[in-house]
Amino acid sequence: MVPFRPSRRSLLATASLLPVALGGASAMAAESDFNGFLAGVRRDAAAQGVRPATIEVAFRQIEYLPHVVELDQRQPEHKMTFSEYLAKAVTPQRLEDARQRLVDNWPLLQRVYQRFGVQPRFVVALWGIESDFGHTMGTYYVPASLATLAYEGRRGPMFRAELISALKIIDQGNVQPSSMLGSWAGAMGQCQFMPSTFLSYAVDFDGDGRRDIWNDRQDVLGSIANYISRLGWHGNESWGRQVVVPDTLDTRYAGLDTRRSVYEWSRLGIRPTNGQFSGREPEASLVIPDGAGGTGLLVYDNFRAIMKWNKSTYFAAAVGYIADSIDRG
């Protein structure tokens, strides 16, 4: 009996089908595992008081989003310098828009200031940096993004907790599930709050029974002011200012842990890039975002408050630059 010898063509054809079959099986297994993961989230959310009907409606739109995993794992090839970041974040158009938003919302911003003690220009600056005044809130269904990131596992416990917080927000009636849109990482609305931040700091400023940071301008600006106020804002102070740093200064003086009076900084050769110190400034710290030879900033406690919002010296400085431009305008 002649033994069966598969042809080379049949072997290649079979081999070409293996990745498809294995890939399909892998995808099916991953989806099965994801569904098992979601079942666990359902149980946890119900145990924390989220109504079953809310969970059911919210989960209808949850699916695994491979693109979100890619975005989370992607490492930037080039770290922007401080000047490059400012060129993107503090554009002439954004400054013009910020001044107009201040004018358009002045009565509301005054009421927000009276309640939370945050100067209107800083509320507007944070609004502009976070979502370009509501133009770039993100288009991802937040529960789906959070479920994907929680399932991925790199920061699983954090995103699982955020997912349950998102379900609580829906359960409270603040937003319809289909309208809970945000960034791929789960930051939501015009304030770009994570769900846990929303639960702690979002406010119903207009008293309509909902905290709507997607569409309600009063709730948006009130929530921004409440959050930064609770982070330690001083309503009678600014954020800091750009300064000239002499090449001879020991960079060990730089950093938020070191505080000195502007008189002491002056003795070390620090001087403002425009104007002069009044002598009434609070104690300040020297920050050099790009290190020795880069732009220098003398910053106050309000700069620290902004960095509790976003742990980036670039972000905090950009907020300050926009606020100062509004003030000058």
Side-chain angles (χ1 to χ4, degrees):
M1 180 177 181
V2 178
F4 171 71
R5 296 179 182 275
S7 67
R8 182 171 181 274
R9 178 178 294 179
S10 65
L11 285 170
L12 290 173
T14 303
S16 68
L17 291 173
L18 281 174
V20 175
L22 292 174
S26 176
M28 290 176 63
E31 183 161 340
S32 175
D33 290 345
F34 184 60
N35 289 333
F37 165 80
L38 292 180
V41 175
R42 284 175 178 266
R43 290 192 296 270
D44 290 350
Q48 294 187 38
V50 181
R51 290 172 295 179
T54 297
I55 298 171
E56 183 62 34
V57 172
F59 271 51
R60 288 173 189 167
Q61 300 178 62
I62 290 182
E63 60 180 328
Y64 183 72
L65 303 176
H67 180 57
V68 167
V69 177
E70 293 173 10
L71 290 171
D72 186 47
Q73 294 177 343
R74 183 183 301 165
Q75 297 297 321
E77 296 179 1
H78 168 67
K79 181 182 182 298
M80 283 190 289
T81 65
F82 183 52
S83 59
E84 288 171 340
Y85 178 84
L86 289 180
K88 290 180 176 294
V90 189
T91 63
Q93 184 62 58
R94 181 163 288 169
L95 295 177
E96 180 180 337
D97 290 345
R99 297 184 192 110
Q100 188 61 50
R101 295 302 189 284
L102 185 83
V103 173
D104 293 345
N105 296 280
W106 185 251
L108 168 59
L109 287 163
Q110 285 296 300
R111 297 199 305 273
V112 168
Y113 174 70
Q114 290 167 7
R115 180 168 169 182
F116 299 111
V118 181
Q119 305 94 311
R121 62 192 178 105
F122 285 102
V123 175
V124 171
L126 284 162
W127 183 24
I129 285 287
E130 283 293 6
S131 68
D132 197 22
F133 312 104
H135 292 305
T136 55
M137 292 185 285
T139 58
Y140 290 86
Y141 179 53
V142 168
S145 292
L146 294 173
T148 299
L149 292 168
Y151 174 70
E152 177 208 359
R154 189 166 71 89
R155 291 176 288 172
M158 182 192 82
F159 283 113
R160 187 187 183 102
E162 292 292 346
L163 174 55
I164 293 176
S165 291
L167 297 174
K168 291 178 180 178
I169 292 168
I170 296 171
D171 199 47
Q172 292 172 359
N174 296 294
V175 61
Q176 291 297 315
S178 60
S179 299
M180 184 178 262
L181 303 179
S183 75
W184 64 264
M188 312 179 303
Q190 297 188 40
C191 313
Q192 289 293 279
F193 283 179
M194 293 298 289
S196 59
T197 302
F198 179 103
L199 289 176
S200 296
Y201 301 105
V203 297
D204 173 19
F205 195 79
D206 61 1
D208 68 353
R210 295 184 302 123
R211 295 182 283 175
D212 182 359
I213 63 171
W214 291 267
N215 302 298
D216 190 320
R217 183 73 53 81
Q218 296 187 60
D219 290 357
V220 169
L221 300 184
S223 296
I224 289 172
N226 181 51
Y227 187 24
I228 195 66
S229 174
R230 299 273 295 276
L231 294 177
W233 191 261
H234 298 279
N236 59 343
E237 294 180 7
S238 186
W239 67 278
R241 65 192 305 171
Q242 187 171 322
V243 293
V244 176
V245 181
D247 295 336
T248 56
L249 183 76
D250 188 336
T251 55
R252 288 179 296 180
Y253 286 114
L256 292 174
D257 291 334
T258 300
R259 300 171 186 253
R260 295 175 181 268
S261 68
V262 292
Y263 171 73
E264 291 175 292
W265 286 119
S266 296
R267 293 186 60 186
L268 292 170
I270 302 294
R271 57 184 178 83
T273 54
N274 54 69
Q276 58 186 358
F277 293 130
S278 68
R280 296 188 299 273
E281 294 90 350
E283 285 192 326
S285 299
L286 176 65
V287 172
I288 309 175
D290 285 340
T295 300
L297 308 168
L298 273 189
V299 301
Y300 316 135
D301 282 340
N302 283 346
F303 187 89
R304 291 180 174 83
I306 301 171
M307 285 194 63
K308 292 176 185 175
W309 180 303
N310 183 316
K311 296 179 181 179
S312 164
T313 55
Y314 288 14
F315 176 92
V319 170
Y321 278 45
I322 293 175
D324 285 352
S325 177
I326 294 172
D327 197 33
R328 289 192 298 270

